[in-house]
Amino acid sequence: MAPPGVVPATTRIVPASVMKQASEFSDLPAKFTKSVGERPVVAHNDYCKDIPVISLKGIDSECEYPRIVAEIGQACEEWGIFQIVDHGISSDLMKRMMENTLGFFDLPLEEKLKYSTKPGGFPVGYASGSHRTDDDILDWRELMVHRCLPNSVRETDYNIWPEKPEEYRKTLAEYSDKIDLLVTSLLGVISESLGLPTDYIKNAVGGEEAEQKILFNYYPQCPQPDLTLGLRSHTDYGTITVLQQDDVGGLQAYKEDQDKWVTVEPIAGAFVINLGDQIQILSNARYCSVEHQAVVNSNQTRLSLVTFANPNHNSQMGPAPEILSETNPAKYRSYTFKDYLPICFAHKTKKHYDALVI
Ligand code: OGA
Ligand code: NI
């Protein structure tokens, strides 16, 4: 990124403490009020029943694998977002992750600010609204970001991960490793669904040097949820995103062919998977990097744990040559992943990949 510079901690205290007092005031502060066209149109708990829910049971068996490839391929083509169950990550680990993360956000503000994003460098750490400095209108959330993989980066950052709650660091490292295995299997399934060798995408993103970022979003209850968003509409810039949410609801995806927003139903024990820009580009737009956002509500705080699987910054990305032909010519030019990030932060369009269209 030329990382978007970072707001000094003192100015970021304001939105976090404002949100904390939300129950005491009835009007949304202007700093959070979105323009009319950006406001939510579908309720946080008006769930869409059509988003695919796919079981990964038997993913290691030859007879189930083709079913999983077919179902995920279809979900990638039609939705760009789906849920998975029977994925092998224990409910105990998912619960401990939620508890530790909530434990962190429940700490006094002064304690959380010890982990504030530092100016310069990659934006990791605690912030409210977003990590950007050029936001006129803020999102109604607190956030915490960690770089978890590759291992060399985890080692560098480990000592800036929170020390409270006590189990936070250990649980995050365990979660990061388990999600990475899941991501490897899913990238294998997606590769196969595109007619590519199983390890194609994993190799394309740098193999064991691929990058993983884990973000926690904490959305406090909000006095006027209809006027703002917890997280503005965007696409994720990596390969796939693995999201664990609590039972409150608020994640919405834009179903482009039907021109409507749909709310993803929280399912206990499930992960939501959404495709990012790199898969749209690699698949030459057969699959879509789905636009999505988070809405908030006036009754409950909501928590989501979001793992971004990203290429290594030196990976060469672009449409997979193996799927291109005379009738399917490349729609995007190729690039080094690190050159993609400045495009994303330039803010010119929500659809960053448009900048690469041939
Ligand atoms: C994200 C994201 C949605 C949510 O963090 O990129 O899309 O429900 N989060 O928190
Ligand atoms: Ni996202």
Side-chain angles (χ1 to χ4, degrees):
M1 293 175 217
V6 181
V7 193
T10 41
T11 52
R12 266 179 293 109
I13 294 172
V14 177
S17 56
V18 164
M19 286 187 282
K20 213 170 174 52
Q21 294 156 17
S23 53
E24 289 158 32
F25 47 68
S26 53
D27 289 337
L28 186 74
K31 197 77 194 142
F32 295 94
T33 305
K34 304 281 179 188
S35 64
V36 174
E38 282 180 284
R39 293 177 192 170
V41 285
V42 177
H44 77 284
N45 55 0
D46 178 5
Y47 301 128
C48 170
K49 301 287 180 189
D50 300 332
I51 300 171
V53 180
I54 299 170
S55 168
L56 299 191
K57 203 177 173 76
I59 192 163
D60 295 323
S61 90
E62 270 178 39
C63 53
E64 282 298 300
Y65 199 68
R67 169 192 65 80
I68 294 170
V69 170
E71 287 185 13
I72 289 187
Q74 188 176 356
C76 288
E77 217 162 319
E78 291 176 7
W79 288 86
I81 188 166
F82 54 93
Q83 305 211 53
I84 54 168
V85 292
D86 307 318
H87 43 65
I89 294 186
S90 75
S91 51
D92 171 64
L93 178 58
M94 294 176 78
K95 183 162 159 273
R96 282 188 286 124
M97 268 308 285
M98 276 283 174
E99 286 168 356
N100 276 285
T101 308
L102 202 53
F104 173 78
F105 284 111
D106 280 344
L107 292 172
L109 192 53
E110 305 75 62
E111 182 65 26
K112 291 189 277 192
L113 288 171
K114 287 186 190 160
Y115 301 97
S116 284
T117 307
K118 303 283 179 292
F122 194 88
V124 291
Y126 173 76
S128 51
S130 82
H131 279 125
R132 303 190 64 106
T133 48
D134 55 351
D135 277 344
D136 296 330
I137 303 296
L138 298 175
D139 291 338
W140 189 265
R141 66 166 179 168
E142 293 176 48
L143 62 150
M144 180 69 170
V145 179
H146 300 295
R147 294 190 297 179
C148 298
L149 289 172
N151 274 314
S152 53
V153 173
R154 184 190 299 178
E155 277 161 26
T156 313
D157 279 15
Y158 196 77
N159 63 359
I160 56 166
W161 292 4
E163 287 172 293
K164 289 183 201 164
E166 207 179 312
E167 296 289 305
Y168 187 104
R169 290 180 174 179
K170 198 169 132 268
T171 313
L172 177 57
E174 182 184 346
Y175 189 77
S176 157
D177 289 337
K178 290 280 170 18
I179 300 271
D180 186 47
L181 292 174
L182 177 62
V183 164
T184 300
S185 321
L186 290 169
L187 292 180
V189 169
I190 294 171
S191 298
E192 293 255 354
S193 74
L194 289 166
L196 297 166
T198 317
D199 53 5
Y200 188 94
I201 299 176
K202 179 81 184 185
N203 288 341
V205 297
E208 292 312 304
E209 293 304 305
E211 295 174 15
Q212 182 202 59
K213 233 173 53 172
I214 298 189
L215 157 67
F216 304 131
N217 290 307
Y218 177 85
Y219 302 103
Q221 57 198 90
C222 176
Q224 290 185 297
D226 294 346
L227 303 184
T228 191
L229 287 166
L231 175 54
R232 73 201 68 182
S233 161
H234 64 284
T235 64
D236 294 340
Y237 60 69
T239 50
I240 60 172
T241 302
V242 179
L243 181 143
Q244 178 184 339
Q245 58 174 333
D246 63 16
D247 60 1
V248 175
L251 170 61
Q252 299 188 329
Y254 181 61
K255 183 90 173 88
E256 199 159 355
D257 55 350
Q258 295 174 17
D259 187 23
K260 67 174 187 193
W261 284 96
V262 291
T263 309
V264 179
E265 180 167 21
I267 299 177
F271 286 106
V272 181
I273 309 295
N274 70 262
L275 304 184
D277 297 350
Q278 303 312 312
I279 297 291
Q280 170 160 333
I281 294 169
L282 185 136
S283 71
N284 206 32
R286 175 164 158 198
Y287 294 166
C288 124
S289 176
V290 70
E291 199 179 321
H292 56 284
Q293 64 185 18
V295 300
V296 289
N297 73 91
S298 53
N299 302 319
Q300 285 169 292
T301 289
R302 172 171 176 261
L303 190 62
S304 67
L305 318 180
V306 191
T307 305
F308 299 103
N310 294 332
N312 182 273
H313 52 280
N314 289 320
S315 298
Q316 284 301 311
M317 303 304 296
E322 291 79 353
I323 62 174
L324 300 178
S325 65
E326 240 170 65
T327 51
N328 184 23
K331 294 193 166 83
Y332 309 99
R333 61 184 166 80
S334 298
Y335 53 95
T336 306
F337 182 63
K338 63 170 171 255
D339 297 333
Y340 194 73
L341 299 180
I343 297 175
C344 299
F345 289 107
H347 236 358
K348 293 222 168 63
T349 158
K350 249 189 278 182
K351 301 189 169 180
H352 318 123
Y353 42 80
D354 280 352
L356 299 170
V357 166
I358 290 176

PDB file of all heavy atoms in Angstrom, residues 28 51 61 72 76 79 93 113 115 117 119 123 132 158 161 171 176 183 196 206 227 236 261 322:
ATOM      1  N   LEU A  28     -27.260   9.756  15.586  1.00  0.00           N
ATOM      2  CA  LEU A  28     -25.964   9.309  15.081  1.00  0.00           C
ATOM      3  C   LEU A  28     -25.076  10.533  14.842  1.00  0.00           C
ATOM      4  O   LEU A  28     -25.488  11.467  14.160  1.00  0.00           O
ATOM      5  CB  LEU A  28     -26.184   8.563  13.758  1.00  0.00           C
ATOM      6  CG  LEU A  28     -24.947   7.916  13.166  1.00  0.00           C
ATOM      7  CD1 LEU A  28     -24.579   6.657  13.958  1.00  0.00           C
ATOM      8  CD2 LEU A  28     -25.178   7.551  11.700  1.00  0.00           C
ATOM      9  N   ILE A  51     -28.283 -18.451  -0.437  1.00  0.00           N
ATOM     10  CA  ILE A  51     -26.811 -18.508  -0.490  1.00  0.00           C
ATOM     11  C   ILE A  51     -26.382 -19.944  -0.182  1.00  0.00           C
ATOM     12  O   ILE A  51     -26.814 -20.517   0.828  1.00  0.00           O
ATOM     13  CB  ILE A  51     -26.192 -17.512   0.515  1.00  0.00           C
ATOM     14  CG1 ILE A  51     -26.641 -16.081   0.164  1.00  0.00           C
ATOM     15  CG2 ILE A  51     -24.668 -17.619   0.524  1.00  0.00           C
ATOM     16  CD1 ILE A  51     -26.273 -15.032   1.187  1.00  0.00           C
ATOM     17  N   SER A  61     -11.988 -37.994   0.549  1.00  0.00           N
ATOM     18  CA  SER A  61     -12.337 -39.273  -0.093  1.00  0.00           C
ATOM     19  C   SER A  61     -12.606 -39.059  -1.580  1.00  0.00           C
ATOM     20  O   SER A  61     -13.171 -38.045  -1.991  1.00  0.00           O
ATOM     21  CB  SER A  61     -13.562 -39.902   0.588  1.00  0.00           C
ATOM     22  OG  SER A  61     -14.737 -39.457  -0.038  1.00  0.00           O
ATOM     23  N   ILE A  72     -18.831 -26.264  -5.109  1.00  0.00           N
ATOM     24  CA  ILE A  72     -18.105 -25.005  -4.876  1.00  0.00           C
ATOM     25  C   ILE A  72     -17.922 -24.246  -6.192  1.00  0.00           C
ATOM     26  O   ILE A  72     -18.074 -23.020  -6.240  1.00  0.00           O
ATOM     27  CB  ILE A  72     -16.773 -25.285  -4.135  1.00  0.00           C
ATOM     28  CG1 ILE A  72     -17.110 -25.683  -2.694  1.00  0.00           C
ATOM     29  CG2 ILE A  72     -15.834 -24.063  -4.190  1.00  0.00           C
ATOM     30  CD1 ILE A  72     -15.947 -25.835  -1.742  1.00  0.00           C
ATOM     31  N   CYS A  76     -19.164 -20.499  -6.749  1.00  0.00           N
ATOM     32  CA  CYS A  76     -18.222 -19.428  -7.144  1.00  0.00           C
ATOM     33  C   CYS A  76     -18.743 -18.695  -8.372  1.00  0.00           C
ATOM     34  O   CYS A  76     -18.621 -17.470  -8.480  1.00  0.00           O
ATOM     35  CB  CYS A  76     -16.850 -20.019  -7.482  1.00  0.00           C
ATOM     36  SG  CYS A  76     -15.944 -20.610  -6.061  1.00  0.00           S
ATOM     37  N   TRP A  79     -22.488 -17.046  -7.164  1.00  0.00           N
ATOM     38  CA  TRP A  79     -22.602 -16.185  -5.985  1.00  0.00           C
ATOM     39  C   TRP A  79     -21.322 -15.447  -5.616  1.00  0.00           C
ATOM     40  O   TRP A  79     -21.366 -14.324  -5.125  1.00  0.00           O
ATOM     41  CB  TRP A  79     -23.059 -17.007  -4.766  1.00  0.00           C
ATOM     42  CG  TRP A  79     -24.481 -17.426  -4.854  1.00  0.00           C
ATOM     43  CD1 TRP A  79     -24.971 -18.553  -5.477  1.00  0.00           C
ATOM     44  CD2 TRP A  79     -25.611 -16.723  -4.352  1.00  0.00           C
ATOM     45  NE1 TRP A  79     -26.335 -18.586  -5.371  1.00  0.00           N
ATOM     46  CE2 TRP A  79     -26.756 -17.468  -4.687  1.00  0.00           C
ATOM     47  CE3 TRP A  79     -25.769 -15.532  -3.644  1.00  0.00           C
ATOM     48  CZ2 TRP A  79     -28.039 -17.064  -4.340  1.00  0.00           C
ATOM     49  CZ3 TRP A  79     -27.046 -15.130  -3.294  1.00  0.00           C
ATOM     50  CH2 TRP A  79     -28.166 -15.886  -3.646  1.00  0.00           C
ATOM     51  N   LEU A  93     -12.279 -24.608  19.154  1.00  0.00           N
ATOM     52  CA  LEU A  93     -11.340 -23.562  18.723  1.00  0.00           C
ATOM     53  C   LEU A  93     -12.102 -22.314  18.269  1.00  0.00           C
ATOM     54  O   LEU A  93     -11.717 -21.178  18.595  1.00  0.00           O
ATOM     55  CB  LEU A  93     -10.428 -24.093  17.601  1.00  0.00           C
ATOM     56  CG  LEU A  93      -9.438 -23.087  17.023  1.00  0.00           C
ATOM     57  CD1 LEU A  93      -8.513 -22.508  18.092  1.00  0.00           C
ATOM     58  CD2 LEU A  93      -8.605 -23.727  15.903  1.00  0.00           C
ATOM     59  N   LEU A 113      -5.598   0.867  23.266  1.00  0.00           N
ATOM     60  CA  LEU A 113      -4.791   1.836  22.525  1.00  0.00           C
ATOM     61  C   LEU A 113      -3.297   1.535  22.593  1.00  0.00           C
ATOM     62  O   LEU A 113      -2.524   2.018  21.768  1.00  0.00           O
ATOM     63  CB  LEU A 113      -5.079   3.256  23.026  1.00  0.00           C
ATOM     64  CG  LEU A 113      -6.460   3.781  22.608  1.00  0.00           C
ATOM     65  CD1 LEU A 113      -6.766   5.096  23.304  1.00  0.00           C
ATOM     66  CD2 LEU A 113      -6.556   3.946  21.094  1.00  0.00           C
ATOM     67  N   TYR A 115      -2.170  -1.034  21.637  1.00  0.00           N
ATOM     68  CA  TYR A 115      -1.940  -1.819  20.415  1.00  0.00           C
ATOM     69  C   TYR A 115      -2.349  -1.056  19.165  1.00  0.00           C
ATOM     70  O   TYR A 115      -2.570  -1.643  18.112  1.00  0.00           O
ATOM     71  CB  TYR A 115      -2.687  -3.158  20.529  1.00  0.00           C
ATOM     72  CG  TYR A 115      -2.220  -3.932  21.731  1.00  0.00           C
ATOM     73  CD1 TYR A 115      -2.921  -3.880  22.933  1.00  0.00           C
ATOM     74  CD2 TYR A 115      -1.039  -4.649  21.681  1.00  0.00           C
ATOM     75  CE1 TYR A 115      -2.464  -4.554  24.053  1.00  0.00           C
ATOM     76  CE2 TYR A 115      -0.564  -5.317  22.800  1.00  0.00           C
ATOM     77  CZ  TYR A 115      -1.280  -5.260  23.981  1.00  0.00           C
ATOM     78  OH  TYR A 115      -0.807  -5.917  25.085  1.00  0.00           O
ATOM     79  N   THR A 117      -2.550   1.079  15.815  1.00  0.00           N
ATOM     80  CA  THR A 117      -1.777   1.096  14.588  1.00  0.00           C
ATOM     81  C   THR A 117      -0.729   2.197  14.660  1.00  0.00           C
ATOM     82  O   THR A 117      -1.040   3.328  15.015  1.00  0.00           O
ATOM     83  CB  THR A 117      -2.746   1.374  13.425  1.00  0.00           C
ATOM     84  OG1 THR A 117      -3.795   0.421  13.520  1.00  0.00           O
ATOM     85  CG2 THR A 117      -2.060   1.272  12.099  1.00  0.00           C
ATOM     86  N   PRO A 119       2.060   4.771  12.951  1.00  0.00           N
ATOM     87  CA  PRO A 119       2.253   5.416  11.647  1.00  0.00           C
ATOM     88  C   PRO A 119       3.379   4.757  10.860  1.00  0.00           C
ATOM     89  O   PRO A 119       4.349   4.292  11.461  1.00  0.00           O
ATOM     90  CB  PRO A 119       2.640   6.847  12.022  1.00  0.00           C
ATOM     91  CG  PRO A 119       2.234   7.024  13.438  1.00  0.00           C
ATOM     92  CD  PRO A 119       2.262   5.673  14.078  1.00  0.00           C
ATOM     93  N   PRO A 123      -0.347  -1.431   7.972  1.00  0.00           N
ATOM     94  CA  PRO A 123      -1.316  -1.105   9.023  1.00  0.00           C
ATOM     95  C   PRO A 123      -1.816  -2.333   9.782  1.00  0.00           C
ATOM     96  O   PRO A 123      -2.749  -2.993   9.360  1.00  0.00           O
ATOM     97  CB  PRO A 123      -2.446  -0.401   8.280  1.00  0.00           C
ATOM     98  CG  PRO A 123      -2.324  -0.833   6.866  1.00  0.00           C
ATOM     99  CD  PRO A 123      -0.905  -1.242   6.626  1.00  0.00           C
ATOM    100  N   ARG A 132      -7.560   3.963   7.359  1.00  0.00           N
ATOM    101  CA  ARG A 132      -7.267   5.053   6.421  1.00  0.00           C
ATOM    102  C   ARG A 132      -7.211   6.393   7.143  1.00  0.00           C
ATOM    103  O   ARG A 132      -7.851   6.575   8.173  1.00  0.00           O
ATOM    104  CB  ARG A 132      -8.355   5.123   5.341  1.00  0.00           C
ATOM    105  CG  ARG A 132      -8.538   3.844   4.568  1.00  0.00           C
ATOM    106  CD  ARG A 132      -9.447   4.098   3.385  1.00  0.00           C
ATOM    107  NE  ARG A 132      -8.840   5.015   2.465  1.00  0.00           N
ATOM    108  CZ  ARG A 132      -8.315   4.670   1.286  1.00  0.00           C
ATOM    109  NH1 ARG A 132      -8.354   3.438   0.888  1.00  0.00           N
ATOM    110  NH2 ARG A 132      -7.769   5.566   0.505  1.00  0.00           N
ATOM    111  N   TYR A 158       4.700 -11.200  16.439  1.00  0.00           N
ATOM    112  CA  TYR A 158       4.096 -11.896  17.586  1.00  0.00           C
ATOM    113  C   TYR A 158       4.126 -11.050  18.859  1.00  0.00           C
ATOM    114  O   TYR A 158       3.156 -10.998  19.604  1.00  0.00           O
ATOM    115  CB  TYR A 158       4.819 -13.228  17.803  1.00  0.00           C
ATOM    116  CG  TYR A 158       4.083 -14.216  18.680  1.00  0.00           C
ATOM    117  CD1 TYR A 158       2.998 -14.947  18.185  1.00  0.00           C
ATOM    118  CD2 TYR A 158       4.473 -14.430  20.000  1.00  0.00           C
ATOM    119  CE1 TYR A 158       2.327 -15.860  18.981  1.00  0.00           C
ATOM    120  CE2 TYR A 158       3.802 -15.345  20.810  1.00  0.00           C
ATOM    121  CZ  TYR A 158       2.730 -16.057  20.288  1.00  0.00           C
ATOM    122  OH  TYR A 158       2.070 -16.964  21.084  1.00  0.00           O
ATOM    123  N   TRP A 161       1.317  -8.607  19.318  1.00  0.00           N
ATOM    124  CA  TRP A 161      -0.050  -9.109  19.522  1.00  0.00           C
ATOM    125  C   TRP A 161      -0.392  -8.877  20.998  1.00  0.00           C
ATOM    126  O   TRP A 161       0.493  -8.916  21.865  1.00  0.00           O
ATOM    127  CB  TRP A 161      -0.136 -10.610  19.206  1.00  0.00           C
ATOM    128  CG  TRP A 161       0.038 -10.971  17.756  1.00  0.00           C
ATOM    129  CD1 TRP A 161       0.339 -10.146  16.721  1.00  0.00           C
ATOM    130  CD2 TRP A 161      -0.066 -12.293  17.202  1.00  0.00           C
ATOM    131  NE1 TRP A 161       0.423 -10.862  15.547  1.00  0.00           N
ATOM    132  CE2 TRP A 161       0.177 -12.180  15.813  1.00  0.00           C
ATOM    133  CE3 TRP A 161      -0.347 -13.555  17.729  1.00  0.00           C
ATOM    134  CZ2 TRP A 161       0.147 -13.283  14.956  1.00  0.00           C
ATOM    135  CZ3 TRP A 161      -0.369 -14.651  16.869  1.00  0.00           C
ATOM    136  CH2 TRP A 161      -0.135 -14.518  15.504  1.00  0.00           C
ATOM    137  N   THR A 171      -3.988 -18.780  21.048  1.00  0.00           N
ATOM    138  CA  THR A 171      -5.195 -19.176  20.321  1.00  0.00           C
ATOM    139  C   THR A 171      -5.158 -18.645  18.887  1.00  0.00           C
ATOM    140  O   THR A 171      -5.514 -19.358  17.941  1.00  0.00           O
ATOM    141  CB  THR A 171      -6.454 -18.635  21.051  1.00  0.00           C
ATOM    142  OG1 THR A 171      -6.321 -18.928  22.430  1.00  0.00           O
ATOM    143  CG2 THR A 171      -7.712 -19.268  20.517  1.00  0.00           C
ATOM    144  N   SER A 176      -4.806 -19.484  13.165  1.00  0.00           N
ATOM    145  CA  SER A 176      -4.162 -19.125  11.908  1.00  0.00           C
ATOM    146  C   SER A 176      -3.689 -20.376  11.163  1.00  0.00           C
ATOM    147  O   SER A 176      -3.907 -20.519   9.957  1.00  0.00           O
ATOM    148  CB  SER A 176      -2.983 -18.185  12.213  1.00  0.00           C
ATOM    149  OG  SER A 176      -2.037 -18.211  11.185  1.00  0.00           O
ATOM    150  N   VAL A 183      -7.742 -23.151   3.958  1.00  0.00           N
ATOM    151  CA  VAL A 183      -7.577 -22.326   2.756  1.00  0.00           C
ATOM    152  C   VAL A 183      -6.878 -23.137   1.660  1.00  0.00           C
ATOM    153  O   VAL A 183      -7.282 -23.112   0.490  1.00  0.00           O
ATOM    154  CB  VAL A 183      -6.778 -21.033   3.075  1.00  0.00           C
ATOM    155  CG1 VAL A 183      -6.250 -20.368   1.808  1.00  0.00           C
ATOM    156  CG2 VAL A 183      -7.647 -20.058   3.854  1.00  0.00           C
ATOM    157  N   LEU A 196      -7.917 -26.732 -13.442  1.00  0.00           N
ATOM    158  CA  LEU A 196      -6.475 -26.569 -13.232  1.00  0.00           C
ATOM    159  C   LEU A 196      -5.991 -27.623 -12.234  1.00  0.00           C
ATOM    160  O   LEU A 196      -6.794 -28.174 -11.467  1.00  0.00           O
ATOM    161  CB  LEU A 196      -6.202 -25.163 -12.667  1.00  0.00           C
ATOM    162  CG  LEU A 196      -6.586 -23.998 -13.585  1.00  0.00           C
ATOM    163  CD1 LEU A 196      -6.605 -22.677 -12.804  1.00  0.00           C
ATOM    164  CD2 LEU A 196      -5.608 -23.902 -14.761  1.00  0.00           C
ATOM    165  N   GLY A 206       2.413 -18.245  -4.084  1.00  0.00           N
ATOM    166  CA  GLY A 206       3.674 -18.302  -3.338  1.00  0.00           C
ATOM    167  C   GLY A 206       3.822 -19.489  -2.406  1.00  0.00           C
ATOM    168  O   GLY A 206       4.724 -19.501  -1.566  1.00  0.00           O
ATOM    169  N   LEU A 227     -28.692   4.771   9.096  1.00  0.00           N
ATOM    170  CA  LEU A 227     -27.972   5.898   8.491  1.00  0.00           C
ATOM    171  C   LEU A 227     -26.490   5.608   8.262  1.00  0.00           C
ATOM    172  O   LEU A 227     -25.774   6.441   7.717  1.00  0.00           O
ATOM    173  CB  LEU A 227     -28.090   7.138   9.396  1.00  0.00           C
ATOM    174  CG  LEU A 227     -29.500   7.617   9.731  1.00  0.00           C
ATOM    175  CD1 LEU A 227     -29.436   8.905  10.540  1.00  0.00           C
ATOM    176  CD2 LEU A 227     -30.308   7.836   8.459  1.00  0.00           C
ATOM    177  N   ASP A 236     -12.855  -7.818  -1.391  1.00  0.00           N
ATOM    178  CA  ASP A 236     -11.599  -8.135  -0.726  1.00  0.00           C
ATOM    179  C   ASP A 236     -10.537  -8.328  -1.810  1.00  0.00           C
ATOM    180  O   ASP A 236     -10.818  -8.906  -2.855  1.00  0.00           O
ATOM    181  CB  ASP A 236     -11.752  -9.409   0.115  1.00  0.00           C
ATOM    182  CG  ASP A 236     -12.716  -9.192   1.278  1.00  0.00           C
ATOM    183  OD1 ASP A 236     -12.958  -8.029   1.654  1.00  0.00           O
ATOM    184  OD2 ASP A 236     -13.238 -10.192   1.807  1.00  0.00           O
ATOM    185  N   TRP A 261     -29.211  -6.495  -2.469  1.00  0.00           N
ATOM    186  CA  TRP A 261     -28.364  -6.876  -1.329  1.00  0.00           C
ATOM    187  C   TRP A 261     -29.012  -8.040  -0.605  1.00  0.00           C
ATOM    188  O   TRP A 261     -30.232  -8.070  -0.441  1.00  0.00           O
ATOM    189  CB  TRP A 261     -28.199  -5.693  -0.373  1.00  0.00           C
ATOM    190  CG  TRP A 261     -27.234  -4.671  -0.893  1.00  0.00           C
ATOM    191  CD1 TRP A 261     -27.549  -3.531  -1.591  1.00  0.00           C
ATOM    192  CD2 TRP A 261     -25.805  -4.715  -0.799  1.00  0.00           C
ATOM    193  NE1 TRP A 261     -26.395  -2.859  -1.927  1.00  0.00           N
ATOM    194  CE2 TRP A 261     -25.307  -3.558  -1.449  1.00  0.00           C
ATOM    195  CE3 TRP A 261     -24.894  -5.611  -0.233  1.00  0.00           C
ATOM    196  CZ2 TRP A 261     -23.938  -3.268  -1.545  1.00  0.00           C
ATOM    197  CZ3 TRP A 261     -23.529  -5.333  -0.328  1.00  0.00           C
ATOM    198  CH2 TRP A 261     -23.068  -4.182  -0.980  1.00  0.00           C
ATOM    199  N   GLU A 322      -3.450 -21.084 -18.711  1.00  0.00           N
ATOM    200  CA  GLU A 322      -4.028 -22.384 -19.072  1.00  0.00           C
ATOM    201  C   GLU A 322      -5.515 -22.302 -19.414  1.00  0.00           C
ATOM    202  O   GLU A 322      -6.039 -23.196 -20.079  1.00  0.00           O
ATOM    203  CB  GLU A 322      -3.867 -23.381 -17.906  1.00  0.00           C
ATOM    204  CG  GLU A 322      -2.442 -23.818 -17.640  1.00  0.00           C
ATOM    205  CD  GLU A 322      -1.621 -22.786 -16.855  1.00  0.00           C
ATOM    206  OE1 GLU A 322      -2.116 -21.656 -16.618  1.00  0.00           O
ATOM    207  OE2 GLU A 322      -0.474 -23.107 -16.505  1.00  0.00           O
TER     208      GLU A 322
END
